[in-house]
């Protein structure tokens, strides 16, 4: 039998710094955590719908009922192939608005996107502006992001500057630094390397390894591996930042397994005894996907610790 190639053969673009370790994070959370509240087990009821009209406009909706409250979202996306640009508009019932545009035709090898957001968080109004750049030239590639968040009530500004570089070997190295400005756009605090975050990611065929270090000794180390065409596994070691509310160091194991062509199981188990999972089933007529999400604390038995989450995705969602 033939041996797999040691290195990637497809053109390699390094991830933005925020996406270093994303495949590991997705394996452990994407199908299990609340889609609009990452970090929280999904325990609500959700109905999603997605379709694309004849003009190529993709429209998707999301409605969630949880703990007596309802969240509704409406997203639209349009790609103009003649100019090589994609435009997005996202709205939700929290009066949050997001407008975005991306293109690959500004310059040969350069991909750029610009996103603006108006959001409400705990009663405070924020305005975000995010610029992403990805550029490839020869064997080396660069990815950079500039994110500026303005708190409208206090006229305070926070910027996050990040960059990563990589080459055809599949290795990427990145860094991110936050800068806080006061209402007169002066530095609110002295610059310090203590605020610097660093990340390394390596991709080789069916294996991705990542390392992230953040301020206050926060550390995340892990891997994701496609062990077969139907199974993906991953492991993560996480040490929280000094002084964090939850200071428990955790080891997590994640699994994504295709039981058959229409049924998938997603699960994650960690060293605290927590077991979370989602069972997902696709149906052809009508075209929909139904999912059940559950959580257990195995140190206390096999009983569910929270209500089961139920999601129905219609159309292409």
């Amino acid at each position: 039998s033939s041996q797999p190639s040691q290195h990637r053969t497809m053109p390699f673009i390094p991830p933005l710094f925020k996406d270093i370790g994303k495949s590991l994070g997705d394996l452990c959370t994407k199908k299990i955590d609340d889609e609009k509240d990452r970090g929280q087990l999904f325990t609500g009821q959700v109905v999603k719908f997605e379709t694309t009209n004849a003009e190529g406009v993709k429209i998707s909706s999301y409605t969630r009922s949880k703990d007596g409250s309802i969240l509704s979202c409406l997203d639209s996306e349009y790609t103009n192939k003649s100019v090589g640009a994609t435009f997005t508009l996202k709205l939700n019932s929290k009066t949050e608005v997001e407008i975005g545009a991306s293109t690959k035709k500004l310059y040969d090898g350069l991909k750029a996107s610009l996103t603006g957001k108006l959001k409400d968080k705990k009663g405070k109004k924020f305005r975000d502006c995010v610029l992403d750049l990805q550029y490839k030239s020869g064997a080396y590639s660069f990815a950079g992001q500039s994110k500026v968040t303005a708190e409208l009530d206090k006229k305070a500004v926070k910027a996050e500057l990040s960059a990563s570089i990589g080459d055809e070997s599949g290795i990427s190295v990145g860094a991110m630094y936050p800068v806080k400005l006061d209402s007169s756009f002066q530095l609110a605090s002295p610059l310090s390397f203590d605020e610097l975050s660093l990340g390394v990611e390596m991709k080789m065929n069916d294996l991705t390894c990542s390392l992230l270090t953040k301020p206050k000794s926060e550390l995340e180390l892990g891997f994701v591996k496609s062990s077969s065409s139907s199974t993906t596994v991953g492991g993560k070691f996480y040490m929280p930042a000094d002084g964090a509310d939850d200071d428990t160091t955790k080891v997590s194991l994640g699994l994504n397994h295709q039981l058959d062509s229409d049924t998938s199981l997603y699960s994650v188990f960690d060293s605290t005894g927590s077991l979370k999972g989602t069972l997902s089933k696709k149906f052809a007529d009508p075209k929909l996907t139904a999912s059940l999400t559950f959580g257990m604390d195995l140190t206390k038995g096999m009983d569910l610790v929270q209500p089961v989450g139920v999601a129905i995705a219609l159309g292409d969602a």
Side-chain angles (χ1 to χ4, degrees):
S1 61
S2 60
Q3 295 296 320
S5 171
Q6 182 180 4
H7 298 298
R8 296 168 52 91
T9 57
M10 297 295 289
F12 176 70
I13 300 294
L16 295 166
F17 179 82
K18 69 180 180 65
D19 292 330
I20 291 179
K22 183 177 184 298
S23 58
L24 177 61
D26 285 350
L27 178 69
C28 295
T29 65
K30 190 171 184 179
K31 297 293 185 177
I32 298 171
D33 283 9
D34 193 303
E35 186 175 336
K36 303 298 181 181
D37 192 9
R38 286 293 175 88
Q40 299 295 321
L41 177 69
F42 172 56
T43 59
Q45 298 81 45
V46 160
V47 175
K48 297 191 288 185
F49 174 75
E50 183 177 303
T51 187
T52 303
N53 65 19
E55 288 72 33
V57 179
K58 183 167 69 175
I59 299 173
S60 58
S61 66
Y62 171 97
T63 303
R64 180 193 70 187
S65 175
K66 181 180 178 183
D67 299 331
S69 63
I70 294 178
L71 172 67
S72 295
C73 307
L74 181 65
D75 300 348
S76 60
E77 178 181 300
Y78 172 66
T79 299
N80 188 317
K81 295 182 179 179
S82 62
V83 299
T86 298
F87 305 92
T88 58
L89 173 63
K90 300 181 180 182
L91 310 168
N92 67 34
S93 55
K94 293 182 178 180
T95 67
E96 297 175 347
V97 181
E98 177 181 323
I99 300 175
S102 64
T103 181
K104 296 181 180 179
K105 290 193 173 182
L106 287 179
Y107 185 78
D108 187 35
L110 177 66
K111 178 182 178 181
S113 67
L114 180 65
T115 305
K117 300 179 183 179
L118 181 63
K119 60 184 181 179
D120 186 293
K121 186 176 182 181
K122 295 182 179 179
K124 299 179 180 179
K125 295 290 186 180
F126 293 88
R127 182 177 293 150
D128 284 356
C129 183
V130 182
L131 174 65
D132 294 343
L133 298 172
Q134 292 179 303
Y135 177 68
K136 178 174 176 58
S137 177
Y140 293 91
S141 304
F142 165 84
Q145 182 182 75
S146 175
K147 178 181 179 180
V148 178
T149 301
E151 186 177 344
L152 302 184
D153 296 337
K154 294 184 177 180
K155 297 183 179 180
V157 177
K158 177 182 178 181
E160 291 182 353
L161 308 175
S162 64
S164 57
I165 58 174
D167 62 19
E168 293 293 347
S169 69
I171 298 177
S172 304
V173 179
M176 189 274 287
Y177 190 85
V179 178
K180 295 181 180 180
L181 306 176
D182 58 25
S183 57
S184 59
F185 293 96
Q186 301 294 318
L187 286 174
S189 59
L191 299 178
S192 170
F193 282 108
D194 292 341
E195 297 297 318
L196 184 67
S197 297
L198 299 172
V200 179
E201 183 171 275
M202 179 185 70
K203 292 188 176 183
M204 294 180 62
N205 294 320
D206 55 7
L207 175 67
T208 300
C209 301
S210 58
L211 169 66
L212 283 168
T213 65
K214 298 181 179 181
K216 298 183 179 180
S217 303
E218 185 177 358
L219 175 68
E220 181 181 303
L221 171 67
F223 75 93
V224 174
K225 179 176 176 58
S226 298
S227 57
S228 71
S229 60
S230 60
T231 304
T232 301
V233 296
K236 179 173 71 173
F237 171 82
Y238 177 72
M239 185 169 66
D242 295 339
D245 292 338
D246 184 356
D247 60 357
T248 305
T249 297
K250 297 179 182 179
V251 176
S252 303
L253 298 175
L255 169 70
N256 175 357
H257 181 62
Q258 194 85 19
L259 299 174
D260 57 42
S261 59
D262 298 319
T263 310
S264 300
L265 174 66
Y266 310 88
S267 63
V268 60
F269 171 77
D270 69 40
S271 54
T272 67
S274 169
L275 174 64
K276 298 181 289 186
T278 293
L279 185 65
S280 180
K281 174 82 174 173
K282 293 181 180 179
F283 298 89
D285 188 18
K287 188 177 181 181
L288 65 84
T289 300
S291 302
L292 295 176
T293 300
F294 62 90
M296 298 178 179
D297 184 349
L298 299 183
T299 64
K300 299 179 181 179
M302 298 295 292
D303 294 336
L304 299 178
V305 295
Q306 289 176 303
V308 172
V310 179
I312 302 295
L314 304 169
D316 300 322

